[in-house]
């Protein structure tokens, strides 16, 4: 499976977590290809209870007394790659043990970042453990922390089309959840920053569009993502990206949601400039009918109409009713 264009390289998880491949559309029920194989085998988790107590010395009285095994302290454990014991529980999908640790952990422990700057929350997204994701955020884990690629847990959930994990990150706490975490406020979940850019300058909405995740796009918009936020590299909005991909369904969805049809990039190009440049007549028609201005110049003083004329495909574009000072342009 190919990685979605422009969403950023996926960082292998720590302790030998294999390369994650982006999901194809419709593959939301498949497991991420993330071979969560720690250099510290799962035997460490399986033998946890026995390692938490001193080994009893036994055998023949005449035998040399066995030295007691050193007590294993999971709270102070840290692997060579910077993983805490909770990181390893999540990597090996030991959910019950992970939830037990989360329930007793201080916030600083929950937000520990390994050598790849991955928190337990990042790894819970990679391994699709929505229940663990939910418990982490209810306990105060910071969903805004960024990994080595600048991706938050929200970016990753959008990239891989994990609707359940996205809901776990963003839904308000229910009365039952409030009772379980011992809190009497409805603001247990801090407002998520949906506008944070990763190191490629992309917000969660940009990533969802680039990965063609229509349902994730809708979920983000309903959660409060700003539809006209520009990327940090070229000033493209989600609508620009959808036009560049030739995704008519996403373009229509974004237009219905209030996408600015004349939003300029840093070079002044609007979505209509891009549609005309791609020789995409259906998208140009959709944008024009939505109110796009065919006479709006970019920084080089070229209008979409100029581009259509220079491409010798003017007859393809739906500008036949265009008037300038009351007179038809064509």
């Amino acid at each position: 499976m190919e990685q979605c264009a422009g969403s950023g390289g996926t960082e292998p998880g720590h302790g030998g977590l294999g390369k994650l491949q982006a999901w194809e559309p419709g593959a939301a029920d498949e497991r991420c290809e993330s071979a969560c194989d720690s250099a510290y085998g799962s035997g460490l988790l399986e033998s946890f209870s026995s390692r938490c107590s001193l080994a009893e010395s036994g055998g023949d009285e005449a035998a040399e007394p066995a030295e007691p095994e050193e007590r294993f302290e999971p709270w102070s454990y840290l692997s060579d790659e910077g993983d805490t014991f909770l990181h390893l529980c999540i990597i090996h999908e030991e959910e019950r043990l992970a939830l037990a640790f989360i329930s007793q952990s201080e916030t600083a422990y929950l937000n520990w970042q390994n050598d790849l700057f991955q928190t337990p929350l990042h790894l819970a997204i990679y391994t699709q453990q929505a229940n663990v994701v939910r418990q982490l955020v209810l306990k105060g884990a910071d969903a805004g922390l960024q990994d080595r690629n600048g991706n938050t847990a929200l970016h990753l959930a959008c990239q891989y089309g994990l609707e359940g994990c996205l809901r776990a990150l963003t839904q308000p706490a229910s009365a039952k959840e409030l009772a379980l975490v011992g809190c009497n406020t409805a603001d247990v979940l801090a407002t998520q920053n949906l506008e944070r850019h990763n190191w490629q300058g992309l917000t969660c909405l940009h990533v969802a569009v680039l990965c063609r995740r229509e349902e994730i796009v809708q979920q983000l918009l309903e959660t409060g993502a700003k539809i006209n936020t520009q990327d940090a590299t070229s000033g493209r909005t989600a609508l620009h990206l959808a036009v560049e991909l030739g995704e008519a369904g996403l373009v229509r969805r974004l237009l219905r949601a209030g996408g600015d049809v004349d939003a300029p990039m840093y070079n002044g190009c609007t979505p209509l400039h891009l549609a005309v440049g791609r020789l995409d007549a259906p998208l140009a028609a959709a944008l024009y009918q939505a109110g796009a201005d065919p006479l709006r110049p970019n920084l080089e003083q070229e209008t979409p109409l100029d581009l259509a004329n220079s491409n010798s495909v003017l007859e393809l574009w739906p500008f036949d009713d265009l008037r300038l000072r009351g007179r038809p342009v064509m």
Side-chain angles (χ1 to χ4, degrees):
M1 290 182 286
E2 296 180 358
Q3 185 172 307
C4 60
S7 61
T10 304
E11 193 66 61
H14 233 280
L17 187 62
K19 184 178 180 181
L20 252 166
Q21 302 294 329
W23 290 6
E24 295 293 344
D29 293 331
E30 297 178 11
R31 187 180 184 282
C32 288
E33 300 292 334
S34 62
C36 299
D37 181 20
S38 173
Y40 294 83
S42 59
L44 176 62
L45 308 183
E46 294 167 358
S47 62
F48 170 67
S49 58
S50 64
R51 296 189 65 180
C52 283
S53 59
L54 295 177
E56 296 181 2
S57 60
D60 186 47
E61 293 182 359
E64 289 287 334
E67 293 186 6
E69 183 180 336
E70 183 180 354
R71 182 179 179 85
F72 178 61
E73 296 289 349
W75 298 106
S76 59
Y77 174 81
L78 197 65
S79 77
D80 291 340
E81 295 91 356
D83 291 311
T84 66
F85 196 76
L86 178 57
H87 281 88
L88 295 183
C89 290
I90 295 171
I91 288 173
H92 292 289
E93 300 183 45
E94 294 284 348
E95 182 176 304
R96 292 180 63 186
L97 193 52
L99 293 176
F101 265 77
I102 292 167
S103 69
Q104 300 177 52
S105 296
E106 298 293 331
T107 304
Y109 185 81
L110 299 179
N111 288 333
W112 182 270
Q113 292 175 282
N114 62 21
D115 292 352
L116 296 181
F117 296 95
Q118 296 166 326
T119 65
L121 195 53
H122 285 99
L123 296 179
I125 296 291
Y126 277 120
T127 54
Q128 302 182 53
Q129 297 180 75
N131 193 28
V132 173
V133 171
R134 187 62 174 175
Q135 295 307 310
L136 282 166
V137 294
L138 285 171
K139 282 286 291 183
D142 186 352
L145 292 175
Q146 295 169 283
D147 65 16
R148 196 164 69 171
N149 294 317
N151 288 318
T152 66
L154 284 161
H155 281 93
L156 297 178
C158 294
Q159 181 175 347
Y160 294 106
L162 303 179
E163 296 179 40
C165 287
L166 185 58
R167 284 193 296 272
L169 285 164
T170 58
Q171 278 188 342
S174 66
K176 182 177 180 181
E177 288 173 329
L178 292 173
L180 288 174
V181 297
C183 187
N184 56 7
T185 175
D187 194 28
V188 172
L189 295 180
T191 302
Q192 304 295 342
N193 184 359
L194 299 176
E195 309 310 312
R196 181 163 292 171
H197 294 84
N198 63 16
W199 301 157
Q200 287 192 307
L202 303 173
T203 68
C204 293
L205 184 60
H206 296 140
V207 169
V209 170
L210 284 169
C211 293
R212 297 176 166 89
R213 311 288 187 193
E214 286 200 44
E215 295 308 313
I216 293 290
V217 168
Q218 186 61 37
Q219 198 170 332
L220 287 170
L221 294 175
E222 292 173 356
T223 303
K226 296 179 180 178
I227 195 169
N228 294 315
T229 297
Q230 295 176 291
D231 72 28
T233 57
S234 62
R236 296 171 298 178
T237 66
L239 186 57
H240 285 95
L241 297 175
V243 170
E244 286 185 339
L245 292 172
E247 285 288 329
L250 275 171
V251 168
R252 289 192 294 269
R253 187 183 293 268
L254 292 168
L255 288 173
R256 287 196 302 269
D260 184 356
V261 74
D262 281 328
M265 297 168 54
Y266 296 153
N267 64 4
C269 286
T270 66
L272 187 57
H273 281 92
L274 300 184
V276 173
R278 295 181 71 255
L279 308 183
D280 194 325
L283 280 186
L287 292 167
Y288 181 64
Q289 290 164 8
D293 183 358
L295 297 179
R296 183 177 181 125
N298 60 20
L299 293 186
E300 296 180 355
Q301 298 306 307
E302 291 180 319
T303 69
L305 189 62
D306 293 331
L307 293 177
N309 189 37
S310 65
N311 288 332
S312 300
V313 288
L314 196 57
E315 67 275 7
L316 293 178
W317 311 109
F319 306 147
D320 56 340
D321 62 343
L322 195 60
R323 292 176 177 271
L324 189 60
R325 296 180 181 176
R327 295 183 178 182
V329 173
M330 295 186 296

